[in-house]
Amino acid sequence: MKCVIIGAGKYGEVYLSFLSEAGFEIIGFLDDDPKEMGNFIQGIPVLGPTTLMDSIQEQYGIDGVFCPLGNNKLRVQFLKKARTLGLKTPNYIHPSVVISPNVKIGEGVYILLGSRIMPDTEVKDFTMISMGVNIAHHNILDEGVFLSTGCNFGASIHAKKYAYCGIGSTIMTGLNTLGEDCLIGAGAVVIKDVPDGAVVAGVPAKVLKYKDGYNVLSDSNINRGG
């Protein structure tokens, strides 16, 4: 399958190595940074900005698009656009990943080496799971979730769309929900539900602030993590 990668940064280069090894023919990169135009990454050209996706099938005979961007909303936006253009959004799952029975995996999902998923978990479209992530049973990871390297994700938890769990974070069994577009800091230990748009960090994790566009809850409802 002939594909392009959106994002010519370091993570894009990492995925170039993995995808090439998996047999995908990577024709080039798309990137909106003018400094990347005309560059080559491991011999693969940066073809142009992401607007090129509109005509890339005709120009290059592209079948599919990979978008390993850490920005969850942008990743979902680009991959959904690819679909509307008739392009495929394949999964990439490293051969070392252990996926138990009764795990449901959507499309445009990327799972890197050494990760493990226990039974009865659902991983929805455009989710990214980095290396060495452990996911327990009966979880739901909504569209565009990102679990970074070494994250330990407990059982029976619903991570709403765009939730981001940083490197080495632990999401403890016993809580129910990680809110939409929340950000869990590196090394945090989350023991209570996290509201939509909350930025939390620490051991145990506490709410530090809310992202723009999300309403701050009353003090009686905020997860203070203590």
Side-chain angles (χ1 to χ4, degrees), residues 144-197:
V145 166
F146 186 106
L147 304 184
S148 195
T149 299
C151 176
N152 291 301
F153 200 93
S156 301
I157 299 166
H158 181 191
K160 294 184 179 180
K161 64 180 181 179
Y162 311 135
Y164 188 109
C165 297
I167 292 173
S169 57
T170 298
I171 318 301
M172 295 289 291
T173 298
L175 62 91
N176 296 310
T177 306
L178 296 184
E180 177 181 322
D181 200 24
C182 70
L183 172 61
I184 311 301
V189 177
V190 181
I191 62 173
K192 295 183 179 180
D193 287 359
V194 176
D196 293 350

mmCIF file of all heavy atoms in Angstrom, residues 144-197:
data_model
loop_
_atom_site.group_PDB
_atom_site.id
_atom_site.type_symbol
_atom_site.label_atom_id
_atom_site.label_comp_id
_atom_site.label_asym_id
_atom_site.label_seq_id
_atom_site.Cartn_x
_atom_site.Cartn_y
_atom_site.Cartn_z
ATOM 1 N N GLY A 144 -9.407 9.226 19.355
ATOM 2 C CA GLY A 144 -8.323 10.186 19.501
ATOM 3 C C GLY A 144 -7.626 10.215 20.845
ATOM 4 O O GLY A 144 -6.920 11.174 21.157
ATOM 5 N N VAL A 145 -7.763 9.176 21.641
ATOM 6 C CA VAL A 145 -7.044 9.098 22.921
ATOM 7 C C VAL A 145 -5.564 8.826 22.657
ATOM 8 O O VAL A 145 -5.197 8.190 21.657
ATOM 9 C CB VAL A 145 -7.659 7.999 23.814
ATOM 10 C CG1 VAL A 145 -6.754 7.652 24.996
ATOM 11 C CG2 VAL A 145 -9.036 8.439 24.303
ATOM 12 N N PHE A 146 -4.692 9.302 23.537
ATOM 13 C CA PHE A 146 -3.256 9.030 23.435
ATOM 14 C C PHE A 146 -2.761 8.535 24.786
ATOM 15 O O PHE A 146 -2.933 9.213 25.813
ATOM 16 C CB PHE A 146 -2.494 10.304 23.058
ATOM 17 C CG PHE A 146 -1.024 10.097 22.784
ATOM 18 C CD1 PHE A 146 -0.534 10.135 21.492
ATOM 19 C CD2 PHE A 146 -0.111 9.867 23.810
ATOM 20 C CE1 PHE A 146 0.822 9.957 21.226
ATOM 21 C CE2 PHE A 146 1.232 9.676 23.559
ATOM 22 C CZ PHE A 146 1.703 9.724 22.262
ATOM 23 N N LEU A 147 -2.147 7.351 24.790
ATOM 24 C CA LEU A 147 -1.489 6.812 25.984
ATOM 25 C C LEU A 147 0.005 6.777 25.698
ATOM 26 O O LEU A 147 0.456 6.037 24.827
ATOM 27 C CB LEU A 147 -2.003 5.416 26.326
ATOM 28 C CG LEU A 147 -3.516 5.257 26.530
ATOM 29 C CD1 LEU A 147 -3.841 3.825 26.958
ATOM 30 C CD2 LEU A 147 -4.050 6.254 27.538
ATOM 31 N N SER A 148 0.767 7.565 26.425
ATOM 32 C CA SER A 148 2.190 7.693 26.151
ATOM 33 C C SER A 148 2.985 6.549 26.780
ATOM 34 O O SER A 148 2.449 5.700 27.508
ATOM 35 C CB SER A 148 2.689 9.048 26.667
ATOM 36 O OG SER A 148 3.948 9.346 26.126
ATOM 37 N N THR A 149 4.278 6.553 26.493
ATOM 38 C CA THR A 149 5.179 5.465 26.884
ATOM 39 C C THR A 149 5.075 5.122 28.363
ATOM 40 O O THR A 149 5.129 6.001 29.226
ATOM 41 C CB THR A 149 6.624 5.859 26.557
ATOM 42 O OG1 THR A 149 6.744 6.086 25.150
ATOM 43 C CG2 THR A 149 7.606 4.781 26.984
ATOM 44 N N GLY A 150 4.920 3.823 28.644
ATOM 45 C CA GLY A 150 4.953 3.340 30.018
ATOM 46 C C GLY A 150 3.722 3.636 30.835
ATOM 47 O O GLY A 150 3.726 3.422 32.051
ATOM 48 N N CYS A 151 2.657 4.070 30.204
ATOM 49 C CA CYS A 151 1.415 4.327 30.935
ATOM 50 C C CYS A 151 0.823 3.009 31.423
ATOM 51 O O CYS A 151 0.817 2.005 30.702
ATOM 52 C CB CYS A 151 0.427 5.057 30.030
ATOM 53 S SG CYS A 151 -1.201 5.328 30.767
ATOM 54 N N ASN A 152 0.328 3.008 32.653
ATOM 55 C CA ASN A 152 -0.387 1.861 33.207
ATOM 56 C C ASN A 152 -1.839 2.261 33.415
ATOM 57 O O ASN A 152 -2.137 3.172 34.190
ATOM 58 C CB ASN A 152 0.238 1.415 34.531
ATOM 59 C CG ASN A 152 1.608 0.813 34.325
ATOM 60 O OD1 ASN A 152 1.760 -0.169 33.606
ATOM 61 N ND2 ASN A 152 2.623 1.402 34.942
ATOM 62 N N PHE A 153 -2.714 1.577 32.703
ATOM 63 C CA PHE A 153 -4.122 1.976 32.642
ATOM 64 C C PHE A 153 -4.961 0.882 33.273
ATOM 65 O O PHE A 153 -4.992 -0.254 32.789
ATOM 66 C CB PHE A 153 -4.503 2.178 31.173
ATOM 67 C CG PHE A 153 -5.726 3.008 30.946
ATOM 68 C CD1 PHE A 153 -5.640 4.367 30.731
ATOM 69 C CD2 PHE A 153 -6.975 2.417 30.936
ATOM 70 C CE1 PHE A 153 -6.769 5.138 30.516
ATOM 71 C CE2 PHE A 153 -8.119 3.169 30.715
ATOM 72 C CZ PHE A 153 -8.014 4.543 30.506
ATOM 73 N N GLY A 154 -5.638 1.202 34.380
ATOM 74 C CA GLY A 154 -6.382 0.203 35.144
ATOM 75 C C GLY A 154 -7.625 -0.305 34.445
ATOM 76 O O GLY A 154 -7.814 -0.123 33.244
ATOM 77 N N ALA A 155 -8.506 -0.949 35.201
ATOM 78 C CA ALA A 155 -9.653 -1.647 34.632
ATOM 79 C C ALA A 155 -10.935 -0.834 34.740
ATOM 80 O O ALA A 155 -11.103 -0.010 35.644
ATOM 81 C CB ALA A 155 -9.842 -2.988 35.336
ATOM 82 N N SER A 156 -11.848 -1.084 33.790
ATOM 83 C CA SER A 156 -13.208 -0.533 33.810
ATOM 84 C C SER A 156 -13.209 0.994 33.846
ATOM 85 O O SER A 156 -13.950 1.617 34.618
ATOM 86 C CB SER A 156 -13.991 -1.101 35.001
ATOM 87 O OG SER A 156 -14.053 -2.507 34.930
ATOM 88 N N ILE A 157 -12.402 1.588 32.974
ATOM 89 C CA ILE A 157 -12.276 3.048 32.905
ATOM 90 C C ILE A 157 -12.668 3.502 31.502
ATOM 91 O O ILE A 157 -12.303 2.873 30.504
ATOM 92 C CB ILE A 157 -10.835 3.489 33.218
ATOM 93 C CG1 ILE A 157 -10.439 3.060 34.628
ATOM 94 C CG2 ILE A 157 -10.672 5.005 33.054
ATOM 95 C CD1 ILE A 157 -8.962 3.143 34.910
ATOM 96 N N HIS A 158 -13.384 4.601 31.436
ATOM 97 C CA HIS A 158 -13.774 5.199 30.161
ATOM 98 C C HIS A 158 -12.934 6.454 29.944
ATOM 99 O O HIS A 158 -13.095 7.445 30.654
ATOM 100 C CB HIS A 158 -15.264 5.551 30.189
ATOM 101 C CG HIS A 158 -15.765 6.156 28.920
ATOM 102 N ND1 HIS A 158 -17.002 6.736 28.822
ATOM 103 C CD2 HIS A 158 -15.201 6.290 27.681
ATOM 104 C CE1 HIS A 158 -17.184 7.186 27.592
ATOM 105 N NE2 HIS A 158 -16.100 6.936 26.890
ATOM 106 N N ALA A 159 -12.022 6.405 28.975
ATOM 107 C CA ALA A 159 -11.252 7.588 28.589
ATOM 108 C C ALA A 159 -11.996 8.260 27.437
ATOM 109 O O ALA A 159 -12.102 7.693 26.341
ATOM 110 C CB ALA A 159 -9.838 7.206 28.164
ATOM 111 N N LYS A 160 -12.524 9.439 27.683
ATOM 112 C CA LYS A 160 -13.287 10.143 26.650
ATOM 113 C C LYS A 160 -12.354 10.673 25.567
ATOM 114 O O LYS A 160 -11.124 10.700 25.725
ATOM 115 C CB LYS A 160 -14.090 11.282 27.272
ATOM 116 C CG LYS A 160 -15.197 10.820 28.211
ATOM 117 C CD LYS A 160 -16.009 12.006 28.701
ATOM 118 C CE LYS A 160 -17.129 11.592 29.622
ATOM 119 N NZ LYS A 160 -17.905 12.760 30.098
ATOM 120 N N LYS A 161 -12.937 11.113 24.461
ATOM 121 C CA LYS A 161 -12.152 11.485 23.288
ATOM 122 C C LYS A 161 -11.116 12.547 23.618
ATOM 123 O O LYS A 161 -11.352 13.444 24.426
ATOM 124 C CB LYS A 161 -13.047 11.957 22.142
ATOM 125 C CG LYS A 161 -13.833 13.225 22.398
ATOM 126 C CD LYS A 161 -14.667 13.557 21.163
ATOM 127 C CE LYS A 161 -15.457 14.848 21.353
ATOM 128 N NZ LYS A 161 -16.250 15.188 20.145
ATOM 129 N N TYR A 162 -9.961 12.387 22.999
ATOM 130 C CA TYR A 162 -8.808 13.286 23.079
ATOM 131 C C TYR A 162 -8.082 13.253 24.427
ATOM 132 O O TYR A 162 -7.151 14.032 24.642
ATOM 133 C CB TYR A 162 -9.186 14.743 22.776
ATOM 134 C CG TYR A 162 -10.000 14.954 21.530
ATOM 135 C CD1 TYR A 162 -11.105 15.802 21.540
ATOM 136 C CD2 TYR A 162 -9.697 14.297 20.340
ATOM 137 C CE1 TYR A 162 -11.870 16.003 20.402
ATOM 138 C CE2 TYR A 162 -10.458 14.493 19.198
ATOM 139 C CZ TYR A 162 -11.539 15.348 19.237
ATOM 140 O OH TYR A 162 -12.303 15.544 18.111
ATOM 141 N N ALA A 163 -8.482 12.381 25.354
ATOM 142 C CA ALA A 163 -7.751 12.289 26.621
ATOM 143 C C ALA A 163 -6.287 11.933 26.342
ATOM 144 O O ALA A 163 -5.989 11.110 25.476
ATOM 145 C CB ALA A 163 -8.379 11.252 27.533
ATOM 146 N N TYR A 164 -5.375 12.542 27.083
ATOM 147 C CA TYR A 164 -3.933 12.355 26.872
ATOM 148 C C TYR A 164 -3.299 11.963 28.209
ATOM 149 O O TYR A 164 -3.387 12.708 29.193
ATOM 150 C CB TYR A 164 -3.313 13.650 26.359
ATOM 151 C CG TYR A 164 -1.868 13.545 25.929
ATOM 152 C CD1 TYR A 164 -1.513 13.607 24.582
ATOM 153 C CD2 TYR A 164 -0.829 13.395 26.855
ATOM 154 C CE1 TYR A 164 -0.189 13.523 24.170
ATOM 155 C CE2 TYR A 164 0.487 13.298 26.463
ATOM 156 C CZ TYR A 164 0.801 13.370 25.119
ATOM 157 O OH TYR A 164 2.115 13.276 24.727
ATOM 158 N N CYS A 165 -2.662 10.793 28.222
ATOM 159 C CA CYS A 165 -1.980 10.314 29.429
ATOM 160 C C CYS A 165 -0.479 10.340 29.190
ATOM 161 O O CYS A 165 0.023 9.673 28.292
ATOM 162 C CB CYS A 165 -2.432 8.898 29.766
ATOM 163 S SG CYS A 165 -4.192 8.776 30.158
ATOM 164 N N GLY A 166 0.247 11.117 29.997
ATOM 165 C CA GLY A 166 1.666 11.336 29.793
ATOM 166 C C GLY A 166 2.535 10.137 30.141
ATOM 167 O O GLY A 166 2.069 9.120 30.679
ATOM 168 N N ILE A 167 3.822 10.278 29.863
ATOM 169 C CA ILE A 167 4.795 9.208 30.070
ATOM 170 C C ILE A 167 4.774 8.722 31.523
ATOM 171 O O ILE A 167 4.834 9.516 32.467
ATOM 172 C CB ILE A 167 6.208 9.691 29.710
ATOM 173 C CG1 ILE A 167 6.320 9.946 28.198
ATOM 174 C CG2 ILE A 167 7.277 8.686 30.159
ATOM 175 C CD1 ILE A 167 7.627 10.574 27.785
ATOM 176 N N GLY A 168 4.656 7.413 31.688
ATOM 177 C CA GLY A 168 4.749 6.808 33.010
ATOM 178 C C GLY A 168 3.593 7.103 33.934
ATOM 179 O O GLY A 168 3.684 6.829 35.142
ATOM 180 N N SER A 169 2.507 7.620 33.424
ATOM 181 C CA SER A 169 1.355 7.893 34.291
ATOM 182 C C SER A 169 0.633 6.597 34.639
ATOM 183 O O SER A 169 0.705 5.604 33.906
ATOM 184 C CB SER A 169 0.393 8.878 33.614
ATOM 185 O OG SER A 169 -0.042 8.390 32.366
ATOM 186 N N THR A 170 -0.051 6.623 35.763
ATOM 187 C CA THR A 170 -0.817 5.477 36.223
ATOM 188 C C THR A 170 -2.254 5.909 36.456
ATOM 189 O O THR A 170 -2.505 6.850 37.205
ATOM 190 C CB THR A 170 -0.233 4.901 37.529
ATOM 191 O OG1 THR A 170 1.108 4.438 37.287
ATOM 192 C CG2 THR A 170 -1.068 3.742 38.043
ATOM 193 N N ILE A 171 -3.170 5.221 35.793
ATOM 194 C CA ILE A 171 -4.593 5.496 35.940
ATOM 195 C C ILE A 171 -5.177 4.326 36.728
ATOM 196 O O ILE A 171 -5.308 3.223 36.214
ATOM 197 C CB ILE A 171 -5.284 5.633 34.563
ATOM 198 C CG1 ILE A 171 -4.425 6.453 33.585
ATOM 199 C CG2 ILE A 171 -6.670 6.200 34.721
ATOM 200 C CD1 ILE A 171 -4.099 7.851 34.044
ATOM 201 N N MET A 172 -5.492 4.582 37.976
ATOM 202 C CA MET A 172 -5.789 3.494 38.899
ATOM 203 C C MET A 172 -7.179 2.903 38.675
ATOM 204 O O MET A 172 -8.144 3.618 38.414
ATOM 205 C CB MET A 172 -5.704 4.005 40.348
ATOM 206 C CG MET A 172 -4.310 4.431 40.771
ATOM 207 S SD MET A 172 -3.177 3.041 40.970
ATOM 208 C CE MET A 172 -3.873 2.246 42.414
ATOM 209 N N THR A 173 -7.273 1.582 38.813
ATOM 210 C CA THR A 173 -8.564 0.924 38.881
ATOM 211 C C THR A 173 -9.357 1.496 40.053
ATOM 212 O O THR A 173 -8.810 1.721 41.135
ATOM 213 C CB THR A 173 -8.380 -0.595 39.066
ATOM 214 O OG1 THR A 173 -7.687 -1.120 37.936
ATOM 215 C CG2 THR A 173 -9.717 -1.305 39.219
ATOM 216 N N GLY A 174 -10.623 1.760 39.824
ATOM 217 C CA GLY A 174 -11.473 2.328 40.877
ATOM 218 C C GLY A 174 -12.104 3.637 40.459
ATOM 219 O O GLY A 174 -13.197 3.974 40.903
ATOM 220 N N LEU A 175 -11.424 4.388 39.579
ATOM 221 C CA LEU A 175 -12.072 5.568 39.018
ATOM 222 C C LEU A 175 -12.875 5.142 37.794
ATOM 223 O O LEU A 175 -12.708 4.043 37.270
ATOM 224 C CB LEU A 175 -11.061 6.663 38.681
ATOM 225 C CG LEU A 175 -9.971 6.364 37.635
ATOM 226 C CD1 LEU A 175 -10.430 6.753 36.245
ATOM 227 C CD2 LEU A 175 -8.701 7.135 37.986
ATOM 228 N N ASN A 176 -13.750 6.033 37.328
ATOM 229 C CA ASN A 176 -14.634 5.677 36.227
ATOM 230 C C ASN A 176 -14.293 6.359 34.911
ATOM 231 O O ASN A 176 -14.382 5.743 33.854
ATOM 232 C CB ASN A 176 -16.089 6.009 36.586
ATOM 233 C CG ASN A 176 -16.613 5.196 37.747
ATOM 234 O OD1 ASN A 176 -16.486 3.974 37.754
ATOM 235 N ND2 ASN A 176 -17.183 5.866 38.736
ATOM 236 N N THR A 177 -13.880 7.643 34.971
ATOM 237 C CA THR A 177 -13.817 8.433 33.752
ATOM 238 C C THR A 177 -12.609 9.357 33.719
ATOM 239 O O THR A 177 -12.298 10.033 34.702
ATOM 240 C CB THR A 177 -15.082 9.307 33.620
ATOM 241 O OG1 THR A 177 -16.236 8.481 33.719
ATOM 242 C CG2 THR A 177 -15.107 10.045 32.299
ATOM 243 N N LEU A 178 -11.954 9.374 32.556
ATOM 244 C CA LEU A 178 -11.036 10.459 32.219
ATOM 245 C C LEU A 178 -11.793 11.364 31.247
ATOM 246 O O LEU A 178 -12.241 10.918 30.197
ATOM 247 C CB LEU A 178 -9.764 9.928 31.561
ATOM 248 C CG LEU A 178 -8.859 9.016 32.386
ATOM 249 C CD1 LEU A 178 -7.592 8.678 31.578
ATOM 250 C CD2 LEU A 178 -8.486 9.644 33.708
ATOM 251 N N GLY A 179 -11.901 12.634 31.576
ATOM 252 C CA GLY A 179 -12.737 13.536 30.816
ATOM 253 C C GLY A 179 -12.198 13.846 29.433
ATOM 254 O O GLY A 179 -11.013 13.659 29.133
ATOM 255 N N GLU A 180 -13.071 14.349 28.592
ATOM 256 C CA GLU A 180 -12.719 14.746 27.232
ATOM 257 C C GLU A 180 -11.568 15.751 27.243
ATOM 258 O O GLU A 180 -11.583 16.733 27.987
ATOM 259 C CB GLU A 180 -13.937 15.361 26.548
ATOM 260 C CG GLU A 180 -13.673 15.881 25.154
ATOM 261 C CD GLU A 180 -14.905 16.502 24.526
ATOM 262 O OE1 GLU A 180 -16.010 15.974 24.737
ATOM 263 O OE2 GLU A 180 -14.754 17.521 23.820
ATOM 264 N N ASP A 181 -10.557 15.497 26.421
ATOM 265 C CA ASP A 181 -9.438 16.418 26.199
ATOM 266 C C ASP A 181 -8.669 16.730 27.479
ATOM 267 O O ASP A 181 -7.995 17.755 27.571
ATOM 268 C CB ASP A 181 -9.935 17.709 25.549
ATOM 269 C CG ASP A 181 -8.820 18.489 24.859
ATOM 270 O OD1 ASP A 181 -7.802 17.863 24.489
ATOM 271 O OD2 ASP A 181 -8.963 19.715 24.700
ATOM 272 N N CYS A 182 -8.757 15.854 28.467
ATOM 273 C CA CYS A 182 -7.959 16.075 29.678
ATOM 274 C C CYS A 182 -6.501 15.741 29.404
ATOM 275 O O CYS A 182 -6.164 15.046 28.437
ATOM 276 C CB CYS A 182 -8.494 15.251 30.848
ATOM 277 S SG CYS A 182 -8.240 13.464 30.692
ATOM 278 N N LEU A 183 -5.622 16.249 30.244
ATOM 279 C CA LEU A 183 -4.183 16.012 30.124
ATOM 280 C C LEU A 183 -3.661 15.497 31.453
ATOM 281 O O LEU A 183 -3.734 16.201 32.476
ATOM 282 C CB LEU A 183 -3.459 17.296 29.730
ATOM 283 C CG LEU A 183 -1.932 17.251 29.743
ATOM 284 C CD1 LEU A 183 -1.408 16.216 28.762
ATOM 285 C CD2 LEU A 183 -1.350 18.627 29.424
ATOM 286 N N ILE A 184 -3.128 14.280 31.435
ATOM 287 C CA ILE A 184 -2.539 13.663 32.620
ATOM 288 C C ILE A 184 -1.026 13.822 32.518
ATOM 289 O O ILE A 184 -0.415 13.355 31.557
ATOM 290 C CB ILE A 184 -2.905 12.169 32.717
ATOM 291 C CG1 ILE A 184 -4.408 11.939 32.527
ATOM 292 C CG2 ILE A 184 -2.404 11.594 34.028
ATOM 293 C CD1 ILE A 184 -5.289 12.655 33.507
ATOM 294 N N GLY A 185 -0.423 14.477 33.480
ATOM 295 C CA GLY A 185 1.003 14.753 33.438
ATOM 296 C C GLY A 185 1.853 13.503 33.572
ATOM 297 O O GLY A 185 1.412 12.455 34.090
ATOM 298 N N ALA A 186 3.099 13.606 33.124
ATOM 299 C CA ALA A 186 4.044 12.494 33.218
ATOM 300 C C ALA A 186 4.214 12.066 34.669
ATOM 301 O O ALA A 186 4.395 12.901 35.562
ATOM 302 C CB ALA A 186 5.384 12.895 32.628
ATOM 303 N N GLY A 187 4.149 10.764 34.904
ATOM 304 C CA GLY A 187 4.366 10.212 36.236
ATOM 305 C C GLY A 187 3.226 10.385 37.208
ATOM 306 O O GLY A 187 3.332 9.959 38.359
ATOM 307 N N ALA A 188 2.133 10.990 36.773
ATOM 308 C CA ALA A 188 0.999 11.207 37.670
ATOM 309 C C ALA A 188 0.356 9.883 38.062
ATOM 310 O O ALA A 188 0.377 8.916 37.298
ATOM 311 C CB ALA A 188 -0.026 12.115 37.005
ATOM 312 N N VAL A 189 -0.222 9.852 39.256
ATOM 313 C CA VAL A 189 -1.010 8.709 39.704
ATOM 314 C C VAL A 189 -2.433 9.209 39.929
ATOM 315 O O VAL A 189 -2.693 9.971 40.866
ATOM 316 C CB VAL A 189 -0.441 8.089 40.989
ATOM 317 C CG1 VAL A 189 -1.337 6.948 41.477
ATOM 318 C CG2 VAL A 189 0.979 7.580 40.752
ATOM 319 N N VAL A 190 -3.322 8.794 39.041
ATOM 320 C CA VAL A 190 -4.694 9.301 39.062
ATOM 321 C C VAL A 190 -5.566 8.324 39.829
ATOM 322 O O VAL A 190 -5.657 7.136 39.473
ATOM 323 C CB VAL A 190 -5.227 9.481 37.621
ATOM 324 C CG1 VAL A 190 -6.649 10.032 37.636
ATOM 325 C CG2 VAL A 190 -4.308 10.399 36.830
ATOM 326 N N ILE A 191 -6.226 8.815 40.894
ATOM 327 C CA ILE A 191 -7.018 7.940 41.752
ATOM 328 C C ILE A 191 -8.497 8.317 41.760
ATOM 329 O O ILE A 191 -9.301 7.618 42.363
ATOM 330 C CB ILE A 191 -6.480 7.928 43.198
ATOM 331 C CG1 ILE A 191 -6.569 9.312 43.833
ATOM 332 C CG2 ILE A 191 -5.050 7.409 43.230
ATOM 333 C CD1 ILE A 191 -6.216 9.332 45.321
ATOM 334 N N LYS A 192 -8.846 9.439 41.091
ATOM 335 C CA LYS A 192 -10.243 9.879 41.020
ATOM 336 C C LYS A 192 -10.575 10.302 39.594
ATOM 337 O O LYS A 192 -9.677 10.552 38.792
ATOM 338 C CB LYS A 192 -10.491 11.050 41.975
ATOM 339 C CG LYS A 192 -10.339 10.703 43.446
ATOM 340 C CD LYS A 192 -10.674 11.913 44.316
ATOM 341 C CE LYS A 192 -10.543 11.583 45.797
ATOM 342 N NZ LYS A 192 -10.856 12.761 46.651
ATOM 343 N N ASP A 193 -11.845 10.397 39.299
ATOM 344 C CA ASP A 193 -12.287 10.843 37.982
ATOM 345 C C ASP A 193 -11.677 12.201 37.649
ATOM 346 O O ASP A 193 -11.483 13.045 38.538
ATOM 347 C CB ASP A 193 -13.805 10.952 37.932
ATOM 348 C CG ASP A 193 -14.494 9.598 37.893
ATOM 349 O OD1 ASP A 193 -13.809 8.556 37.883
ATOM 350 O OD2 ASP A 193 -15.735 9.596 37.871
ATOM 351 N N VAL A 194 -11.410 12.405 36.363
ATOM 352 C CA VAL A 194 -10.826 13.655 35.884
ATOM 353 C C VAL A 194 -11.864 14.376 35.025
ATOM 354 O O VAL A 194 -12.394 13.795 34.082
ATOM 355 C CB VAL A 194 -9.547 13.394 35.067
ATOM 356 C CG1 VAL A 194 -8.993 14.689 34.498
ATOM 357 C CG2 VAL A 194 -8.496 12.696 35.930
ATOM 358 N N PRO A 195 -12.163 15.644 35.312
ATOM 359 C CA PRO A 195 -13.171 16.373 34.532
ATOM 360 C C PRO A 195 -12.701 16.676 33.114
ATOM 361 O O PRO A 195 -11.505 16.636 32.802
ATOM 362 C CB PRO A 195 -13.347 17.686 35.319
ATOM 363 C CG PRO A 195 -12.783 17.432 36.673
ATOM 364 C CD PRO A 195 -11.688 16.428 36.480
ATOM 365 N N ASP A 196 -13.638 17.009 32.247
ATOM 366 C CA ASP A 196 -13.326 17.422 30.883
ATOM 367 C C ASP A 196 -12.371 18.604 30.891
ATOM 368 O O ASP A 196 -12.554 19.563 31.651
ATOM 369 C CB ASP A 196 -14.599 17.841 30.139
ATOM 370 C CG ASP A 196 -15.563 16.698 29.886
ATOM 371 O OD1 ASP A 196 -15.192 15.534 30.116
ATOM 372 O OD2 ASP A 196 -16.695 16.988 29.444
ATOM 373 N N GLY A 197 -11.344 18.546 30.041
ATOM 374 C CA GLY A 197 -10.443 19.674 29.849
ATOM 375 C C GLY A 197 -9.496 19.957 30.992
ATOM 376 O O GLY A 197 -8.766 20.962 30.964
#
